[in-house]
Amino acid sequence: MKSSTLLAILVLQALLVSAAVAKGPAGPTTKKQCWCGECTSWSGVWTCDDLLTKCAATCKNCVPVSTDKGTTKYRCRDFLPENCGCKIH
């Protein structure tokens, strides 16, 4: 009798864990938000033209850009989601 109770508890626990994994992470979604002010589209692929003092930690493709004043700024060249809504260059 004890083994059948233990087996039932283990099955219920496995179901709860699989349901939690299927639901995904709690909190903010992992979908990338459109955070860009000025964009460029090339063949339907959108990239951001904003010059930043540093790229966000989530940026995978950060490119240094020299400015007219001799300083270095950065531009995140990750692809943006469709219908970004930012100002087009």
Side-chain angles (χ1 to χ4, degrees), residues 1-64:
M1 186 111 78
K2 289 182 181 181
S3 63
S4 62
T5 305
L6 181 60
L7 181 62
I9 291 172
L10 289 174
V11 168
L12 288 174
Q13 188 175 15
L15 287 173
L16 288 173
V17 169
S18 64
V21 169
K23 185 178 180 182
T29 61
T30 56
K31 186 177 179 182
K32 194 173 198 177
Q33 300 296 319
C34 182
W35 43 263
C36 186
E38 296 186 9
C39 300
T40 299
S41 175
W42 183 77
S43 296
V45 177
W46 291 91
T47 55
C48 186
D49 288 333
D50 291 353
L51 286 177
L52 310 165
T53 54
K54 68 176 187 172
C55 288
T58 56
C59 180
K60 293 183 180 15
N61 189 12
C62 188
V63 178

